[in-house]
Amino acid sequence: MMTRSLFDLVRKMTPEKASREFRDFSGAHAYAAARRLMDETFAGYPDVDHSFVREFQTAGFSARVFELALYAALREHGKELDRTHPAPDFLVGGDTPVAIEATTTNPPQGETAEDVDIATAVRRRIPDDMEAAEAEFTMQIGKALRRKLEHRDAKGHAYWEKPHVDGIPFVLAVQSFHSPSSLIHTVSSLATYLYGIRDVATRDSHGSLVLNSQVVTEHRHKEKTIPSGLFAQPEAEHLAAVIFTNSATVSKFARMGTERGYGPQDVAIARVGLMYDPDPNASLAVPFGYVVGDYGPEEHETFSEGFHVLHNPWARTPVATGALDGFTEHRLQPNGRLLTTFRQPDYFVSRTWILQGQGGGNPLPVARRRVQQYLAGPAGSR
């Protein structure tokens, strides 16, 4: 049986027709571990409409990486996946079935992957105007989700109206790729849009943190405005939940592949960023940093790390408890606050440094030093 590879150009495809993202990634020595893990994952992936590889090699590179990571995250927790139908993308079987359709936010029309090299695509760049960038993120996420809710097939059926989805909770999975900095946004921005509330932090007379919910009615970006609280809108009554991540990228495959020993000896990977602080009085995230592989065998990254499930409390067919138990879950409480159930460390946002040794040398000392400098710098002193 011939082994499939994501990196063998499809029939009649020339290197010039492949996207710049794909060309840069497939030819980079530093991403050898990521490519091997991707091929291993894809070996079990049922490509129903036989379009996955072509889209991965052309304009759909980032979206297909996201879809592959979502597939792996579901499989690593033993989910039964039915891929015999082209849509929705995944039908999770068993006692708690779920139908999942994946979507992404994308660059503005007229811009393509050719405009961004792989180094830019995986780098988290902080926008000059964070408030405007967050407004754009909300607008783009809203557009992507509503596009799927309004979609109808040739027979006029919505996703949840298809015979094989009847009576099964319908879920949309989304990740943002509309700009080089779009991955910096966290689940809290999406939660505000979906539930129409945001947390406002204050301190009481004893200095303890107090969180109150503030109603949000709309979101504005430039001249456009959309209503907040998508879950409460009539068009979302069939949407059981939204799955969100900002980390299903080539960097995740690179880190996890390196953990497995797939990378060359002259490549080291470090990861730094901000993570959840369990202190109930904490108002800021905690900086973290580590070199991939500098820990015991019981500590390793999973595909489901970084995936969040936001449940719709008004859904006609809600997601059953435990249906997506490998992911971090968010549920709206009667007091207007979100109850978050963590399954593993929750990294809000991270940056992956991939270092290659000069002349085949060992880059680990440099990687460790850079992590120490990050933690000793402004991020670590907060």
Side-chain angles (χ1 to χ4, degrees):
M1 179 178 177
M2 182 177 293
T3 302
R4 301 182 303 172
S5 175
L6 289 165
F7 304 97
D8 294 335
L9 290 178
V10 297
R11 188 169 177 267
K12 297 184 179 180
M13 172 82 77
T14 61
E16 295 74 22
K17 291 183 179 179
S19 71
R20 180 176 178 179
E21 285 178 291
F22 172 78
R23 294 198 307 269
D24 289 347
F25 178 66
S26 61
H29 175 72
Y31 285 105
R35 290 193 295 271
R36 178 173 168 182
L37 183 56
M38 281 184 174
D39 267 344
E40 278 190 6
T41 305
F42 185 63
Y45 184 92
D47 187 10
V48 182
D49 56 7
H50 307 290
S51 63
F52 190 98
V53 179
R54 179 173 293 278
E55 292 172 358
F56 175 79
Q57 295 177 0
T58 53
F61 177 82
S62 294
R64 299 289 80 77
V65 173
F66 165 53
E67 193 173 316
L68 194 64
L70 175 59
Y71 164 78
L74 294 168
R75 288 291 299 147
E76 76 181 359
H77 287 278
K79 302 301 182 185
E80 302 173 13
L81 298 182
D82 179 356
R83 286 273 300 167
T84 57
H85 303 278
D89 292 311
F90 302 103
L91 191 60
V92 179
D95 296 333
T96 53
V98 182
I100 303 173
E101 174 70 10
T103 188
T104 58
T105 70
N106 303 306
Q109 191 171 8
E111 295 183 19
T112 68
E114 290 294 332
D115 301 315
V116 182
D117 63 20
I118 190 66
T120 301
V122 302
R123 186 169 61 240
R124 275 65 162 166
R125 299 194 309 187
I126 299 177
D128 294 331
D129 188 338
M130 192 65 187
E131 185 175 343
E134 186 168 322
E136 181 186 22
F137 167 81
T138 302
M139 196 70 64
Q140 292 288 339
I141 285 280
K143 182 170 67 174
L145 296 177
R146 289 176 180 275
R147 184 172 61 241
K148 289 295 184 179
L149 292 176
E150 295 169 359
H151 173 79
R152 299 295 183 269
D153 63 17
K155 296 181 178 179
H157 293 158
Y159 290 105
W160 54 87
E161 294 173 331
K162 296 177 183 292
H164 59 284
V165 185
D166 184 40
I168 296 175
F170 174 67
V171 173
L172 286 172
V174 65
Q175 184 166 223
S176 58
F177 295 105
H178 56 272
S179 74
S181 64
S182 58
L183 293 172
I184 200 171
H185 301 286
T186 66
V187 68
S188 61
S189 299
L190 175 59
T192 298
Y193 169 64
L194 294 177
Y195 296 108
I197 58 169
R198 68 162 56 96
D199 284 338
V200 178
T202 59
R203 298 281 179 178
D204 63 17
S205 58
H206 302 288
S208 297
L209 184 70
V210 178
L211 293 175
N212 294 296
S213 296
Q214 180 185 71
V215 175
V216 179
T217 58
E218 66 178 23
H219 300 274
R220 182 182 300 273
H221 177 58
K222 296 181 179 178
E223 72 283 357
K224 295 182 179 180
T225 301
I226 59 172
S228 191
L230 175 64
F231 277 156
Q233 303 298 322
E235 61 266 33
E237 64 179 349
H238 296 287
L239 179 59
V242 170
I243 296 172
F244 170 79
T245 185
N246 60 1
S247 63
T249 65
V250 296
S251 293
K252 174 179 274 289
F253 282 93
R255 294 191 303 267
M256 294 183 65
T258 298
E259 280 188 336
R260 288 161 167 77
Y262 295 169
Q265 294 299 309
D266 61 344
V267 173
I269 297 182
R271 188 185 188 191
V272 299
L274 300 173
M275 67 181 295
Y276 168 75
D277 188 342
D279 182 349
N281 282 318
S283 59
L284 295 174
V286 178
F288 76 91
Y290 63 86
V291 174
V292 173
D294 276 2
Y295 34 71
E298 72 283 353
E299 299 178 78
H300 62 274
E301 184 173 353
T302 64
F303 279 108
S304 56
E305 176 198 298
F307 277 94
H308 295 254
V309 182
L310 299 100
H311 293 267
N312 182 358
W314 301 284
R316 281 196 179 190
T317 309
V319 175
T321 301
L324 296 167
D325 55 347
F327 300 167
T328 297
E329 298 190 73
H330 307 264
R331 295 182 184 272
L332 185 65
Q333 302 302 293
N335 63 359
R337 295 293 314 288
L338 281 182
L339 174 64
T340 300
T341 304
F342 296 101
R343 307 295 181 187
Q344 52 213 333
D346 186 35
Y347 300 111
F348 289 138
V349 64
S350 69
R351 175 180 298 172
T352 299
W353 293 329
I354 300 180
L355 298 91
Q356 187 169 339
Q358 296 293 324
N362 183 7
L364 276 173
V366 176
R368 291 169 181 146
R369 186 166 60 250
R370 288 192 62 180
V371 169
Q372 291 172 355
Q373 292 171 343
Y374 171 82
L375 293 175
S381 62
R382 56 193 307 166

